Amino acid sequence: MNGPIIKCEQLGKRFGKLEVLRSVDLTIPQGAIVGLLGSNGSGKSTLIKCLLGLLRISSGTASVLDENPWDLSAAGKNRLGYVPQVVHLYPWMKVQQVVDYTSAFYERWDFKWTLEVMQMLEVDGSKWIKTLSTGQLQRLAIILAFGHRPDLLVLDEPAASLDPGGRRALMRSLLEMNRDQGQTVLFSTHITSDLERVASHVAILGNGLVEYFGEIDELKESVKRIRIQSDQDLPTQFTIPGILHSNVTGSTAVVSLAKCSDSLISDIEKQWSATVTVEDLNLEEIFLEMSDV
Amino acid sequence: MSISPSFFQVNPSSGVPIFRQIIDQVKALVAAGKLRSGDMLPSTRDVAKTLEVNMMTVSKAYSRLESDGVAERVRGLGMRICAVPISGAVAERKQKFKEIVSPAIHHARQLGLTDDQVLAVVNKILKDNV
């Protein structure tokens, strides 16, 4: 299959009068590991639920694994794995029982791989579900979503209640599946350092739409903070293309740019007879610069 | 010879994209003589596994190294370091070398070395690096 794994166009979702998603356009190619970023309440979970058919979209179109998510076939569900933000499991069962029970729903459950992931995430099959902590429940949810080696794995803040060791193990197993079978991953997170290591692409959700989607490397190469030191006073309002934020004090200015390039820098140097230094930003800084705050 | 993937070190949270960090390190290893023409780079898979980064990131670094003429893709074998091409006029290359050496000379003076002592050191390095 060479078409996109996920494709939505002008996807909208409203709850009564509240419009959470206005017009989401997103095309995720096969084999991509996409980190979904967005501030609290930006609609990350809503988008994920729309893509999985857990919520019905209000407008626009969505296609997941070439199917309408609201109408996913059993075959489609067999190719899908989902780790929800809040995990609800059967408290009266033991871990291994839940794993066996879940495996029965899938045609191609991989028991050997499941055991590997259980060891990697250090989950003990003999424990009662009701005794598990939030983090341990999340680990188990990951195992249940991984076991059938889905072609598409969707995780809603999988790292939220994991300790650093658990996060590392999760990222390692995501990378392993992606390497071995070109599996596509979409995961929302606030922990940008996880994303920097693992993701190939980043989608930034804000104002009800995808404000940025692209390769993480391209984002890091194009968003820069520059320091302008001129021999004259600079205007308080700059007109530089793609300006995100600026802070001018007299003849110096600190400006963040969405699309920094050598030619843009030399233009600025010429226009203001200034020296410009360019600063690289990590993903967290980029996310903050691109948010409205 | 081929180098081990653990030769590379990346800092994912730096502002420099990971693929660029890998490119810079390969170039630095070549410049330091630790990688020579004919040496093989570890496979993208091994590097991705060792560094725990996305395999596409490593592929991208290798593709750039190829287009920069630092390494070449050998079918069935992987990436091989190319012979460093000599380009530019002699005067230009001399100028480049001067820029690298000048700070070193400055340091040598600070260390209180005489010109003869500096030359002796340089001659020794030249002899060792044939």
Side-chain angles (χ1 to χ4, degrees):
Chain A
M1 197 177 103
N2 296 314
I5 295 286
I6 290 176
K7 188 175 174 66
C8 31
E9 282 173 327
Q10 293 168 11
L11 184 156
K13 175 65 192 174
R14 54 173 71 244
F15 298 95
K17 278 189 180 154
L18 179 70
E19 190 178 49
V20 177
L21 300 174
R22 198 147 48 91
S23 178
V24 171
D25 292 305
L26 185 64
T27 304
I28 297 181
Q30 201 240 313
I33 301 185
V34 183
L36 181 61
L37 289 174
S39 36
N40 293 326
S42 59
K44 296 187 296 292
S45 295
T46 303
L47 176 59
I48 282 177
K49 285 180 179 162
C50 285
L51 293 175
L52 293 166
L54 298 172
L55 286 172
R56 194 168 200 162
I57 61 176
S58 312
S59 55
T61 60
S63 135
V64 170
L65 300 166
D66 279 335
E67 291 189 44
N68 175 357
W70 188 249
D71 234 357
L72 267 184
S73 65
K77 286 175 186 159
N78 253 305
R79 298 173 54 199
L80 201 67
Y82 171 49
V83 180
Q85 198 169 14
V86 184
V87 184
H88 295 290
L89 287 168
Y90 319 97
W92 64 88
M93 284 195 192
K94 283 185 174 176
V95 168
Q96 192 57 52
Q97 289 175 315
V98 174
V99 172
D100 293 341
Y101 175 71
T102 308
S103 71
F105 287 92
Y106 293 95
E107 280 170 21
R108 36 169 213 188
W109 190 267
D110 187 336
F111 288 93
K112 192 168 159 270
W113 164 243
T114 309
L115 205 64
E116 256 175 65
V117 182
M118 280 179 82
Q119 278 162 0
M120 211 153 23
L121 288 170
E122 295 174 341
V123 171
D124 180 355
S126 65
K127 279 200 169 165
W128 292 99
I129 297 297
K130 62 177 177 234
T131 67
L132 297 185
S133 71
T134 319
Q136 286 171 318
L137 269 175
Q138 197 155 28
R139 286 171 188 238
L140 179 53
I142 291 164
I143 292 160
L144 299 179
F146 277 34
H148 56 297
R149 289 186 173 270
D151 293 327
L152 170 63
L153 189 61
V154 181
L155 308 100
D156 196 356
E157 302 222 12
S161 42
L162 292 185
D163 57 32
R167 266 170 32 215
R168 202 59 184 269
L170 167 63
M171 297 303 147
R172 205 174 288 157
S173 43
L174 282 181
L175 282 172
E176 197 176 320
M177 273 203 279
N178 179 258
R179 269 201 313 270
D180 292 347
Q181 56 183 78
Q183 180 209 47
T184 310
V185 182
L186 173 67
F187 74 110
S188 69
T189 185
H190 285 294
I191 304 165
T192 48
S193 58
D194 289 343
L195 224 151
E196 284 180 302
R197 189 177 273 285
V198 170
S200 60
H201 294 72
V202 182
I204 299 179
L205 199 61
N207 299 311
L209 37 90
V210 173
E211 293 183 318
Y212 177 87
F213 177 74
E215 289 185 18
I216 186 167
D217 296 326
E218 269 164 32
L219 181 67
K220 274 190 169 180
E221 290 212 298
S222 70
V223 183
K224 300 282 175 192
R225 192 185 291 139
I226 60 170
R227 280 164 208 282
I228 306 170
Q229 174 72 55
S230 174
D231 47 18
Q232 57 189 322
D233 270 1
L234 294 164
T236 43
Q237 285 300 318
F238 265 111
T239 44
I240 301 173
I243 194 163
L244 297 169
H245 287 107
S246 68
N247 190 358
V248 183
T249 5
S251 61
T252 61
V254 179
V255 180
S256 50
L257 297 171
K259 281 201 163 52
C260 187
S261 65
D262 291 347
S263 63
L264 185 60
I265 298 292
S266 65
D267 284 352
I268 295 169
E269 285 181 325
K270 261 180 235 149
Q271 193 182 349
W272 304 103
S273 54
T275 49
V276 176
T277 49
V278 181
E279 198 184 322
D280 294 321
L281 299 176
N282 67 27
L283 197 56
E284 180 159 304
E285 292 167 313
I286 290 172
F287 177 62
L288 289 172
E289 291 290 352
M290 290 180 85
S291 328
D292 300 325
V293 273
Chain B
M1 192 197 90
S2 70
I3 62 160
S4 135
S6 54
F7 248 93
F8 299 117
Q9 256 181 355
V10 294
N11 174 8
S13 301
S14 122
V16 183
I18 296 173
F19 84 94
R20 200 157 284 288
Q21 295 182 37
I22 296 173
I23 294 174
D24 292 345
Q25 284 174 34
V26 171
K27 287 185 175 172
L29 287 168
V30 171
K34 290 194 174 130
L35 274 175
R36 288 163 190 251
S37 99
D39 286 351
M40 299 300 293
L41 291 176
S43 73
T44 49
R45 200 185 177 75
D46 286 348
V47 176
K49 204 171 171 180
T50 309
L51 299 179
E52 293 180 9
V53 298
N54 197 299
M55 206 157 77
M56 288 213 280
T57 310
V58 186
S59 305
K60 192 190 277 181
Y62 279 15
S63 299
R64 293 287 178 93
L65 285 168
E66 193 179 17
S67 53
D68 288 353
V70 178
E72 59 189 345
R73 218 172 281 274
V74 188
R75 274 186 87 175
L77 286 175
M79 294 289 285
R80 185 168 62 197
I81 298 293
C82 300
V84 184
I86 296 172
S87 65
V90 178
E92 211 175 286
R93 281 181 273 145
K94 272 186 173 170
Q95 179 57 33
K96 261 191 193 160
F97 181 61
K98 204 171 144 191
E99 285 166 19
I100 302 167
V101 172
S102 300
I105 300 287
H106 182 72
H107 279 300
R109 294 252 158 83
Q110 282 182 329
L111 289 167
L113 296 176
T114 66
D115 288 2
D116 282 345
Q117 286 166 328
V118 172
L119 283 174
V121 172
V122 172
N123 280 326
K124 169 117 186 21
I125 296 173
L126 285 173
K127 227 182 249 168
D128 292 347
N129 265 293
V130 175

